[in-house]
């Protein structure tokens, strides 16, 4: 039997077209937590950098005093938003037993403060979403509805088993760690990452509204599709203004204090 492929029909020689390079500068925001002062500074910075797309890894509400304004702003600018645990619990009627008492108090207050239409929007958010060549999730891709925290290699490994895109951005821990998988998983804090072929990345974008890595400045990341670079940005904002809003709303004092500590 002859296994050779049939001869090609004659035709003009053409050079194969190179696929067009993906374009776009994405701003990836997460864990805003109703902190309008921090959100406005982040949005202004992203605009100044020429960001063309905005997406969010969840927790728009909870902890701070401007949930209505933050939901409106995020809906205005973000093409895609995935659901965070605070978005989930603030918009549901389930009891808040598993929640830290501080977070539970604010969740009750947030439920009363948001409009029914805003609550409906929070309830409509997906757990994960693919955007062009990357994925967004609040916690982990293996069991996003269980809200697990990824702080080490083993927790990241579980996630990588379910990751189908080279890059996935996440939030939830409020600590901007990046995990890189080749044969093994390495991780650490980052300023800039050049995404390389043959590697997998699970990248935490830090928290806009309640950083917990000891640095009180607001955090967010950008992803430049043309250069394949992810960059973390830290910004000073009006912490005193956010604290004042917390006190005026009658929310727990501890929530105001932690903003200046970044804890
Ligand atoms: Zn959070």
């Amino acid at each position: 039997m002859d296994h050779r492929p049939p001869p090609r029909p004659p035709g003009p020689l053409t050079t194969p077209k190179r696929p067009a390079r993906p374009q776009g500068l994405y701003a990836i925001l997460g864990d805003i937590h109703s902190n309008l002062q921090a959100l406005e500074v982040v949005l202004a910075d992203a605009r100044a950098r020429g960001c063309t797309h905005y997406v969010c890894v969840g927790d728009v509400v909870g902890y701070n005093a401007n949930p209505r304004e933050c939901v409106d702003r995020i809906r205005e600018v973000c093409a895609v938003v995935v659901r965070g645990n605070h978005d989930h619990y603030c918009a549901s009627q389930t009891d808040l037993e598993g929640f830290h008492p501080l977070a539970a108090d604010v969740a009750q207050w947030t439920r009363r403060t948001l409009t029914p239409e805003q609550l409906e929007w929070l309830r409509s958010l997906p757990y994960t979403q693919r955007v062009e060549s990357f994925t967004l999730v609040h916690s982990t891709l293996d069991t996003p509805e269980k809200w697990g925290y990824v702080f080490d290699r083993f927790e990241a490994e579980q996630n990588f088993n379910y990751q189908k895109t080279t890059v996935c951005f996440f939030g939830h821990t409020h600590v901007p760690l990046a995990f890189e998988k080749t044969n093994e998983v390495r991780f650490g804090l980052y300023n800039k990452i050049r995404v390389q072929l043959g590697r997998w990345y699970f990248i935490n974008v830090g928290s806009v509204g309640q950083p917990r890595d000891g640095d009180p400045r607001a955090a967010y990341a950008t992803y430049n599709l043309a250069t394949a670079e992810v960059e973390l940005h830290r910004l000073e904002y009006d912490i005193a203004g956010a604290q004042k809003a917390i006190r005026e709303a009658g929310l727990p004092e501890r929530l105001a204090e932690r903003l200046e500590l970044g804890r």
Side-chain angles (χ1 to χ4, degrees), residues 31 33 59 63 85-86 138 172 174 212:
D31 294 284
H33 285 300
D59 273 2
Y63 291 126
N85 54 322
H86 286 258
H138 186 66
H172 199 35
H174 301 205
R212 292 183 195 158

Side-chain angles (χ1 to χ4, degrees), residues 146-177:
K146 290 195 174 157
W147 313 114
Y149 290 90
V150 177
F151 278 115
D152 64 31
R153 294 193 284 130
F154 306 102
E155 289 154 350
E157 193 73 61
Q158 296 286 333
N159 172 82
F160 280 122
N161 289 335
Y162 288 79
Q163 190 171 317
K164 295 195 172 69
T165 54
T166 303
V167 177
C168 176
F169 294 103
F170 75 110
H172 199 35
T173 63
H174 301 205
V175 176
L177 286 175

Side-chain angles (χ1 to χ4, degrees), residues 58-250:
D59 273 2
V60 182
V61 299
Y63 291 126
N64 295 292
N66 290 99
R68 264 196 306 242
E69 295 81 352
C70 288
V71 166
D72 284 348
R73 286 298 273 139
I74 289 292
R75 288 176 77 175
E76 243 170 64
V77 298
C78 288
V80 179
V81 182
V82 295
R83 176 192 301 231
N85 54 322
H86 286 258
D87 305 324
H88 180 81
Y89 288 107
C90 288
S92 74
Q93 292 305 319
T94 49
D95 75 90
L96 299 161
E97 248 173 58
F99 253 55
H100 190 284
L102 273 182
D105 278 359
V106 187
Q108 298 285 8
W109 177 86
T110 304
R111 280 177 183 173
R112 293 194 302 270
T113 305
L114 291 170
T115 69
E117 198 266 336
Q118 289 179 318
L119 291 167
E120 193 57 45
W121 176 75
L122 287 175
R123 278 192 286 271
S124 76
L125 298 177
Y127 284 96
T128 69
Q129 182 74 50
R130 180 154 172 183
V131 183
E132 296 202 52
S133 60
F134 59 90
T135 309
L136 304 175
V137 68
H138 186 66
S139 55
T140 67
L141 291 172
D142 46 324
T143 49
E145 73 292 345
K146 290 195 174 157
W147 313 114
Y149 290 90
V150 177
F151 278 115
D152 64 31
R153 294 193 284 130
F154 306 102
E155 289 154 350
E157 193 73 61
Q158 296 286 333
N159 172 82
F160 280 122
N161 289 335
Y162 288 79
Q163 190 171 317
K164 295 195 172 69
T165 54
T166 303
V167 177
C168 176
F169 294 103
F170 75 110
H172 199 35
T173 63
H174 301 205
V175 176
L177 286 175
F179 296 82
E180 183 191 273
K181 183 179 161 80
T182 46
N183 291 328
E184 49 169 32
V185 175
R186 300 186 310 142
F187 72 101
L189 295 165
Y190 68 100
N191 290 315
K192 205 178 248 193
I193 297 166
R194 186 75 188 270
V195 172
Q196 293 176 50
L197 280 177
R199 301 184 181 193
W200 299 80
Y201 299 86
F202 190 48
I203 302 173
N204 192 298
V205 297
S207 170
V208 170
Q210 196 195 73
R212 292 183 195 158
D213 59 342
D215 181 347
R217 292 175 300 166
Y220 81 104
T222 49
Y223 185 22
N224 187 331
L225 297 186
T227 62
E229 273 178 345
V230 177
E231 204 176 332
L232 185 74
H233 308 285
R234 299 306 291 259
L235 299 161
E236 311 267 357
Y237 73 95
D238 178 16
I239 291 181
Q243 291 174 319
K244 186 164 174 267
I246 288 172
R247 290 173 183 133
E248 283 174 2

